[in-house]
């Protein structure tokens, strides 16, 4: 059989065993299970101890690269797992010395949610290399490649692989329209070629790329450059496998996949069906299906530990809403969760309506971390606090930064009215910058070292604090035993999971009777589409903290019932206290920022609102707050 027109697969010798002849143009495969895979399916909670049992096997497969680090792993590990991200990199390298490692780097955002100063970017990239990283997939949420410059220099100086990514986003259901069309992407690819990238990634983080659009894009890109093209797509909308297949026909060089148990839903197409589909063609992967299946079997063993993190009750494994709203799946579920947390789920339709408008107002930016959060949270704010469309009554700090140019150049100009409103009283000034954002940021590393002193023992520790000042310090206190790691952050064991499941089974069959006054935890279980709530005895439930939270809420509720503007600072959204700038007894003015708190990864500055004296402070840096919690009480001046 010969299919040689337009890249359609060509059959070679039909020899399906392991020693089959090499294909003339084998597709190269990156395995992303240990980074993007569990980031999508288990909220990035995969633990190193569950990766070690498969690490050596994965290293034997012959993948082009293994994405094992970067993206959200750095944040999730130090915040939710009490694991040192640097240590994971070193440990995995020991078990997987053969296959190159790759990481996802958010350009000047590094592995955080804002642009950091150049010295932090330089030090972070250098330490990533020193700890074992080989390939850097660098992206910028605005596709503003000036934000690659500093990272790229360090990568190149160390002779490591610099992969530049173009974020794929849409404003229509398919490629086209005025903004994100073929011209846009070809221009972006050319910019990367001119920067001297070693390879190019077309990064479709939301699973929006349709098969024929992928086919045409790859073919057009191939006409302008010989630089290898790596397609990164997600299964989310259900098109992932089709899109990969058409891209392979079009001549894409590298694709990203996951091993079966870590594939599909909002994750990636699975590698196994692709290996079989391409057998005996000119694009044969050359991979051994039996070897991969053995890894999948071992991975399956550990999955029950993470099942509680997957609360998708749907039967369908795809979500076509991402196409209907041109929005990453995570962003849609965040919108739902945020409105739910504020008892405003009834305003969801309003959220869907406003989201494209907010995105347009903010320059029609691509939606990927952190712009997806920036647009998402501002949409929630507009839903909750605006009395008319376009009011922007409550603008987040990140939107102000975006309007000032601190993230880079937006795809289209920001709405001038919104921009003006955002930059009123903006500390850096009301005229936006045109330069590369990093060039206006003062060095930060020395300051971070100061903050970390007494806790950090090396530069890697200091970098954790530089990127995550509050949770980073908390992590170092756990790491060096100054503070106990909370029980709920410790790993779940299989026997623990088994016990829970037995209890759930018993509860469902009515065998379990109510019992005692011990700490109990509620579990939501879904059986055949029906939800049950069961309570189990659970030493992990933090009863004291819950009680404290309840009493704060009670106080806050009373306060809410009084007239506003009385110096009672109440959390309007759930989040975490980053900084309390005043102590009991301090004098404050109405315009002064007294508390900074993080909600949905965005910073919110809370002003005193009245001139007066601080009477009560109920939370400290690092504490979680719920909606309605009283944070600070200020006694107004007479
Ligand atoms: Co991804």
């Amino acid at each position: 059989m010969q299919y040689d027109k337009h890249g359609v697969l060509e059959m070679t010798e039909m020899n399906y065993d392991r020693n089959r002849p090499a294909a003339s143009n084998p597709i190269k495969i990156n395995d992303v299970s240990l980074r993007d895979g569990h980031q999508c399916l288990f909220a990035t909670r995969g633990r190193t101890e569950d990766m070690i049992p498969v690490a050596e096997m994965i290293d034997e497969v012959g993948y082009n690269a293994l994405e094992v680090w970067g993206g959200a792993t750095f944040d999730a590990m130090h915040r939710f797992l009490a694991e040192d991200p640097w240590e994971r990199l070193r440990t995995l390298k020991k078990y997987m010395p053969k296959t190159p490692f790759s990481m996802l780097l958010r350009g000047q955002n590094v592995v955080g949610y804002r642009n950091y100063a150049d010295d932090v970017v330089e030090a972070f990239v250098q330490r990533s290399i020193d700890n074992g990283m080989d390939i850097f997939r660098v992206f910028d949420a605005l596709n503003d490649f000036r934000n690659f410059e500093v990272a790229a220099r360090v990568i190149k100086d160390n002779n490591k692989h610099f992969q530049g990514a173009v974020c794929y986003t849409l404003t229509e259901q398919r490629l086209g329209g005025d903004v994100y069309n073929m011209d846009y992407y070809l221009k972006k690819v050319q910019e990367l070629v001119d920067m001297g990238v070693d390879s190019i990634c077309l990064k479709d983080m939301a699973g929006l790329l349709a098969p024929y659009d992928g086919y045409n894009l790859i073919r057009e890109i191939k006409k302008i450059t010989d630089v290898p093209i790596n397609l990164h797509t997600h299964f989310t909308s259900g098109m992932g496998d089709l899109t990969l297949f058409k891209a392979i026909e079009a001549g894409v060089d590298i694709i990203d996949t996951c091993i079966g148990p870590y594939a599909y839903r909002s994750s990636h197409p699975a590698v196994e069906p692709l290996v079989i589909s391409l057998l005996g063609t000119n694009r044969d992967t050359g991979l051994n299906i039996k070897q991969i299946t053995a890894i999948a079997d071992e991975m399956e063993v550990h999955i029950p530990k993470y099942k509680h993190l997957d609360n998708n009750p749907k039967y369908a494994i795809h979500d076509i809403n991402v196409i209907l709203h041109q929005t990453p799946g995570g962003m849609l579920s965040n919108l739902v969760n945020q409105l739910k947390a504020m008892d405003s789920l009834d305003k969801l339709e309003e959220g869907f309506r406003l989201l494209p408008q907010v995105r347009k107002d903010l320059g029609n930016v691509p939606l990927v971390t952190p712009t997806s959060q920036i647009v998402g949270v501002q949409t929630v704010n507009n839903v909750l606090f605006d009395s008319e469309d376009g009011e922007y009554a409550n603008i987040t700090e990140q939107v102000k930064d975006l309007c000032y140019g601190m993230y880079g150049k937006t795809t289209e100009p920001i709405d001038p009215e919104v921009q003006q409103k955002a930059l009123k009283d903006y500390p850096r000034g009301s005229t936006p910058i045109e330069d590369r954002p990093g060039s206006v940021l003062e060095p930060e590393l020395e300051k971070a070292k100061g903050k970390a002193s007494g806790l950090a023992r090396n530069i890697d520790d200091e970098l954790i604090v530089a990127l995550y000042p509050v949770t980073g310090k908390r992590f170092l206190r756990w790491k060096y035993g100054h503070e106990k790691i909370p029980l709920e952050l410790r790993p779940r064991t299989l026997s623990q999971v088994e016990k829970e499941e037995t209890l759930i089974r018993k509860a469902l069959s009515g065998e379990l009777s109510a019992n005692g006054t011990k700490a109990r935890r509620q579990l939501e279980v879904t059986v055949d589409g029906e939800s049950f709530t069961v309570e189990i005895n659970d030493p992990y439930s933090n009863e004291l903290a819950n009680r404290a939270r309840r009493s704060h809420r009670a106080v806050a509720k009373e306060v809410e019932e009084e007239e506003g503007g009385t110096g009672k600072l109440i959390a309007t959204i759930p989040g975490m206290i980053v900084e309390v700038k005043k102590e009991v007894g301090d004098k404050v003015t109405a315009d002064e920022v007294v508390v900074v708190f993080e909600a949905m990864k965005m910073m919110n500055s809370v002003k005193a609102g009245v001139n007066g004296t601080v009477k009560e402070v109920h939370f400290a840096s690092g504490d979680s707050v719920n909606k309605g919690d009283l944070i600070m009480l200020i006694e107004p001046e007479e």
Side-chain angles (χ1 to χ4, degrees):
M1 266 189 287
Q2 291 277 325
Y3 302 98
D4 51 3
K5 280 269 183 300
H6 293 296
V8 174
L9 302 181
E10 196 178 303
M11 300 305 289
T12 55
E13 222 172 309
M14 299 292 254
N15 181 349
Y16 299 154
D17 72 13
R18 147 142 238 204
N19 297 316
R20 60 196 187 264
S24 59
N25 181 21
I27 182 76
K28 292 179 177 152
I29 303 218
N30 296 334
D31 176 66
V32 300
S33 306
L34 301 186
R35 201 287 293 178
D36 215 348
H38 71 99
Q39 179 167 328
C40 293
L41 297 185
F42 315 128
T44 331
R45 302 295 205 277
R47 289 182 186 265
T48 309
E49 61 183 44
D50 295 329
M51 298 177 181
I52 290 173
V54 288
E56 283 167 295
M57 296 159 88
I58 292 177
D59 199 27
E60 293 297 327
V61 172
Y63 286 116
N64 176 65
L66 305 171
E67 192 190 56
V68 294
W69 211 63
T73 60
F74 204 95
D75 182 5
M77 289 181 74
H78 89 280
R79 191 188 297 253
F80 300 119
L81 306 178
E83 267 196 56
D84 188 336
W86 301 106
E87 184 59 43
R88 171 176 295 175
L89 184 50
R90 290 190 295 268
T91 302
L92 290 181
K93 198 71 183 182
K94 261 185 241 157
Y95 287 90
M96 303 194 273
K98 288 198 268 190
T99 319
F101 275 10
S102 85
M103 75 168 286
L104 182 66
L105 186 79
R106 297 170 181 156
Q108 198 84 11
N109 284 199
V110 192
V111 287
Y113 306 97
R114 66 169 173 93
N115 277 336
Y116 294 93
D118 292 349
D119 60 343
V120 172
V121 180
E122 276 162 17
F124 182 87
V125 174
Q126 187 61 53
R127 287 306 301 157
S128 303
I129 292 167
D130 298 343
N131 278 295
M133 192 45 65
D134 304 292
I135 299 170
F136 289 80
R137 173 175 296 169
V138 190
F139 81 93
D140 177 70
L142 299 181
N143 283 332
D144 182 344
F145 301 146
R146 296 174 303 170
N147 289 327
F148 291 3
E149 284 171 16
V150 175
R153 197 173 58 233
V154 183
I155 297 164
K156 289 274 188 188
D157 285 351
N158 285 272
N159 288 317
K160 295 294 174 186
H161 187 112
F162 167 37
Q163 181 176 78
V166 183
C167 295
Y168 184 77
T169 189
L170 293 174
T171 55
E172 321 276 322
Q173 286 177 9
R174 292 276 303 273
L175 177 67
D178 299 337
V179 195
Y180 296 109
N181 47 33
M182 185 67 82
D183 280 354
Y184 173 87
Y185 289 108
L186 292 180
K187 201 179 130 261
K188 285 292 161 189
V189 164
Q190 189 60 51
E191 277 181 42
L192 289 179
V193 172
D194 296 343
M195 277 188 96
V197 293
D198 297 305
S199 61
I200 291 167
C201 175
L202 188 59
K203 179 176 156 59
D204 174 27
M205 52 279 165
L208 299 176
L209 182 60
Y212 289 117
D213 291 336
Y215 183 87
N216 291 334
L217 254 175
I218 300 291
R219 288 198 69 84
E220 293 304 314
I221 293 171
K222 280 280 164 197
K223 285 179 191 163
I224 60 171
T225 179
D226 291 332
V227 174
I229 310 297
N230 187 159
L231 177 60
H232 176 89
T233 188
H234 283 250
F235 182 77
T236 324
S237 66
M239 299 189 293
D241 297 74
L242 300 170
T243 301
L244 282 188
F245 215 80
K246 288 308 290 181
I248 291 167
E249 287 187 357
V252 74
D253 300 276
I254 311 162
I255 55 168
D256 290 2
T257 62
C258 282
I259 298 172
Y262 280 44
Y264 298 120
R265 295 190 183 274
S266 57
S267 181
H268 305 260
V271 65
E272 297 92 329
L274 277 160
V275 171
I276 305 291
S277 303
L278 295 168
L279 269 180
T281 70
N282 62 327
R283 310 241 47 201
D284 192 330
T285 61
L287 304 185
N288 180 346
I289 189 71
K290 286 186 185 148
Q291 230 176 341
I292 297 171
T293 307
I295 299 168
D297 290 346
E298 178 64 31
M299 282 175 147
E300 292 265 9
V301 174
H302 303 278
I303 288 222
K305 297 177 198 168
Y306 302 105
K307 254 173 30 195
H308 64 294
L309 296 162
D310 174 17
N311 55 7
N312 181 357
K314 287 187 181 168
Y315 286 113
I317 65 164
H318 71 278
D319 179 5
I320 207 67
N321 274 314
V322 301
I323 298 293
L324 300 180
H325 301 284
Q326 290 90 47
T327 301
M331 206 178 149
L332 293 177
S333 57
N334 275 346
L335 193 67
V336 172
N337 289 338
Q338 287 157 16
L339 288 172
K340 209 192 256 174
M342 285 163 256
D343 302 323
S344 301
L345 205 52
D346 54 314
K347 294 186 177 139
L348 185 61
E349 277 309 310
E350 179 73 352
F352 284 146
R353 185 181 70 81
L354 283 179
L355 198 127
Q357 185 57 48
V358 172
R359 183 188 185 196
K360 193 166 193 328
D361 291 343
L362 298 178
N364 249 329
V365 292
L367 299 174
V368 58
T369 300
T371 46
S372 49
Q373 285 91 342
I374 295 173
V375 172
V377 174
Q378 189 58 54
T379 301
V380 170
N381 276 1
N382 288 9
V383 168
L384 293 176
F385 305 119
D386 284 6
S387 47
E388 56 179 12
D389 270 11
E391 187 187 349
Y392 285 80
N394 197 338
I395 300 179
T396 66
E397 296 305 306
Q398 276 77 6
V399 166
K400 293 176 190 170
D401 291 342
L402 180 75
C403 289
Y404 188 69
M406 290 311 288
Y407 288 91
K409 194 172 181 320
T410 54
T411 310
E412 293 190 299
I414 295 174
D415 180 90
E417 258 176 60
V418 174
Q419 191 164 33
Q420 205 183 7
K421 192 154 194 178
L423 295 180
K424 185 178 170 280
D425 302 328
Y426 185 73
R428 290 175 192 273
S430 56
T431 313
I433 54 164
E434 298 282 334
D435 299 343
R436 180 180 74 88
S439 67
V440 302
L441 288 170
E442 295 293 321
E444 294 178 57
L445 197 54
E446 288 310 314
K447 230 187 272 170
K449 284 180 180 177
K451 274 188 198 161
S453 78
L455 274 174
R457 298 195 185 166
N458 53 45
I459 176 72
D460 291 350
D461 286 346
E462 285 161 353
L463 279 165
I464 294 176
V465 175
L467 295 174
Y468 292 102
V470 179
T471 54
K473 274 166 77 174
R474 185 180 63 183
F475 168 73
L476 293 182
R477 288 195 294 271
W478 293 336
K479 177 177 171 184
Y480 294 117
H482 302 303
E483 241 174 58
K484 269 201 174 149
I485 298 172
L487 279 174
E488 61 268 24
L489 264 59
R490 297 191 192 164
R492 286 154 61 89
T493 62
L494 280 174
S495 72
Q496 215 179 320
V497 174
E498 232 163 79
K499 265 187 215 154
E500 282 184 11
E501 284 183 350
T502 311
L503 276 167
I504 291 168
R505 264 198 306 280
K506 282 186 177 170
L508 289 174
S509 64
E511 278 175 64
L512 205 65
S513 57
N515 169 27
T517 52
K518 285 180 192 165
R520 298 173 80 79
R521 184 154 73 104
Q522 289 197 333
L523 282 184
E524 285 267 343
V525 288
T526 308
V527 181
D528 291 340
E530 220 182 310
S531 283
F532 300 89
T533 305
V534 293
E535 280 200 336
I536 57 165
N537 287 331
D538 184 8
Y540 291 79
S541 104
N542 199 339
E543 195 52 28
L544 267 181
N546 285 341
R547 226 175 285 156
R549 246 176 256 143
R550 273 198 297 275
S551 68
H552 277 302
R553 256 205 301 273
V555 174
K557 208 165 172 10
E558 283 167 31
V559 168
E560 268 182 329
E561 280 159 12
E562 290 175 28
E563 287 298 296
T566 52
K568 285 153 189 160
L569 303 187
I570 293 164
T572 49
I573 36 179
M576 186 189 71
I577 301 289
V578 174
E579 195 183 355
V580 180
K581 292 179 180 271
K582 297 288 165 185
E583 293 173 17
V584 171
D586 284 353
K587 289 240 180 274
V588 293
T589 58
D591 256 355
E592 209 170 347
V593 173
V594 289
V595 173
V596 180
F597 86 103
E598 186 198 74
M600 302 160 285
K601 299 188 177 133
M602 300 289 115
M603 299 299 169
N604 295 265
S605 297
V606 182
K607 290 181 180 168
V610 290
N611 298 333
T613 311
V614 177
K615 280 284 153 195
E616 294 173 19
V617 177
H618 289 276
F619 293 94
S621 173
D623 286 350
S624 297
V625 290
N626 284 306
K627 183 196 176 198
D629 283 349
L630 177 65
I631 302 171
M632 183 184 280
L633 185 66
I634 301 162
E635 188 174 68
E637 263 167 26
E638 296 296 300

